[in-house]
Amino acid sequence: MSDSVLLKKISRRRVGRSPLAGLDDITAHLGAKLEERLRRLLKTMTGAMVMECEVRKLSRVLEDIPVPAMLGIVAVEGLETFALVNVSSDLVYHVVDLRMGGDAAEAPAPTARSFTAIDAALSEGFVETVIDCLHMAFNYGMGVPLPPMMSLNHIEQNITQVRLAPENADVLVISFALDIGEAARQGGFDLVLPLSVLDAFRSAARRIEAPEQEAIARSFWRSHMTEAAHHARIDVTGVLHRLSLTLDEVESLRPGDVLTIPELALKSTEIRLGGEADRLAFAQSEIGQFSGHTMLKLTTSPDPRITQSLLKALDEGVLA
């Protein structure tokens, strides 16, 4: 009984988590881009339809690939695992025929045969187009301009020679069916993407999003703090007159003593900015009376060097 339970656990087909948020949007965008790009490659109208999109075990996927196979091995930057574009033999026949000048208005029956070096060379352009379209779909689905991360490594025909990832790895399989030309030639291909490849794309997207989010946060706080700085209070001191006394004179001061202030001081009171230790000469004023209050009236314009320094500090975020 215990052996039977263990065998069931080992043989049970487990798949990984949902690989990407918004996967439907990504595959739909991929189909649209494929139709656009393949029309240029094959010189005829092309329709693309998603037939399957699911997470499966890599070992099961490789078992289902028929021979002969046209396998595009796709390298992913920063990873030792590979993605796979599995092009059906029917689609290889139509791609080669149309790229060699075949009539898109006719639909000859595909011929089962071994693939030649010419077949592989002409199929490379198809696989590279699929890779480009997949990259654009990831950009669209993740909402950030990802750097190119995938490239065609080589074309392989023997499935036993393919080593994408560990056989028990989970892979996302996206199967497409194509209708090509006026005669609706038909063929299909599979995209096999190890989930580690999708993780690499997510990580790249987060690295791009983080600086943008930090910039937005910095911009917000800079604006907020600059606004606060505009409304901040600054100590303003009016200096009516300065006396120069000896230490003996200061020590001898008593209540009732009179300190003489020149009459000119009333018309030339200095306004200074800043704290007690570091005040800046800002403007000149005269003292007077208005509405029962003693007031200072500016007689010179504020020092432009100080106002320009304050504005520059606000603009550059120094005060923020």
Side-chain angles (χ1 to χ4, degrees):
M1 174 65 76
S2 61
D3 291 342
S4 177
V5 172
L6 181 60
L7 286 173
K8 287 181 179 179
K9 287 185 176 181
I10 294 174
S11 61
R12 182 181 301 166
R13 179 179 174 184
R14 296 190 180 92
V15 296
R17 65 202 180 283
S18 177
L20 285 176
L23 185 56
D24 289 343
D25 291 337
I26 291 175
T27 55
H29 193 76
L30 174 57
K33 285 298 178 182
L34 282 169
E35 291 180 352
E36 176 188 337
R37 293 288 300 276
L38 291 178
R39 287 170 193 165
R40 298 203 298 263
L41 179 71
L42 303 178
K43 310 301 183 185
T44 186
M45 298 293 291
T46 303
M49 180 179 296
V50 178
M51 304 302 293
E52 178 187 42
C53 184
E54 66 174 1
V55 176
R56 298 166 57 190
K57 288 295 182 183
L58 177 59
S59 58
R60 300 293 180 88
V61 174
L62 298 181
E63 288 173 0
D64 293 339
I65 295 178
V67 178
M70 185 66 74
L71 308 172
I73 311 302
V74 182
V76 183
E77 184 177 342
L79 295 182
E80 295 182 358
T81 55
F82 294 86
L84 174 69
V85 180
N86 172 31
V87 188
S88 71
S89 58
D90 287 357
L91 183 54
V92 172
Y93 175 87
H94 293 308
V95 167
V96 172
D97 182 62
L98 290 172
R99 298 199 72 188
M100 294 286 287
D103 188 351
E106 297 181 357
T111 302
R113 56 183 175 79
S114 299
F115 296 131
T116 67
I118 294 177
D119 295 329
L122 293 174
S123 296
E124 283 186 4
F126 176 85
V127 174
E128 288 171 344
T129 298
V130 171
I131 294 171
D132 289 343
C133 292
L134 181 59
H135 179 260
M136 288 186 282
F138 279 138
N139 281 357
Y140 172 81
M142 296 184 176
V144 293
L146 296 168
M149 296 176 59
M150 296 180 294
S151 60
L152 177 61
N153 187 275
H154 67 282
I155 294 289
E156 184 65 64
Q157 297 187 42
N158 188 348
I159 189 61
T160 61
Q161 301 298 321
V162 172
R163 174 70 176 177
L164 303 181
E167 289 189 358
N168 63 342
D170 294 328
V171 295
L172 175 65
V173 180
I174 307 174
S175 298
F176 273 91
L178 301 182
D179 287 336
I180 306 171
E182 296 88 331
R185 302 186 186 208
Q186 295 185 348
F189 70 91
D190 299 325
L191 279 168
V192 181
L193 305 171
L195 296 195
S196 58
V197 172
L198 305 182
D199 289 337
F201 275 94
R202 274 197 295 263
S203 297
R206 286 194 292 267
R207 287 195 298 271
I208 294 173
E209 288 171 348
E212 292 180 352
Q213 292 171 349
E214 291 174 2
I216 292 172
R218 286 197 302 270
S219 176
F220 169 79
W221 283 110
R222 176 177 175 177
S223 175
H224 180 76
M225 296 304 294
T226 299
E227 182 67 18
H230 276 293
H231 294 88
R233 293 185 174 275
I234 299 177
D235 291 335
V236 177
T237 303
V239 180
L240 185 64
H241 181 63
R242 287 187 178 83
L243 291 176
S244 178
L245 301 175
T246 65
L247 181 58
D248 288 340
E249 290 172 330
V250 172
E251 289 179 343
S252 65
L253 287 175
R254 297 292 182 272
D257 290 348
V258 176
L259 299 177
T260 303
I261 298 177
E263 183 178 352
L264 181 62
L266 300 178
K267 296 185 178 181
S268 183
T269 301
E270 187 178 56
I271 296 177
R272 301 182 73 84
L273 304 180
E276 293 294 335
D278 185 20
R279 296 185 183 275
L280 299 173
F282 185 62
Q284 296 293 322
S285 65
E286 63 181 22
I287 195 168
Q289 295 285 330
F290 183 77
S291 298
H293 298 282
T294 301
M295 309 186 76
L296 292 176
K297 178 181 178 181
L298 265 64
T299 57
T300 64
S301 298
D303 189 335
R305 294 172 298 177
I306 296 177
T307 55
Q308 289 172 5
S309 296
L310 290 173
L311 291 174
K312 182 178 180 181
L314 289 171
D315 289 339
E316 296 179 352
V318 174
L319 296 183

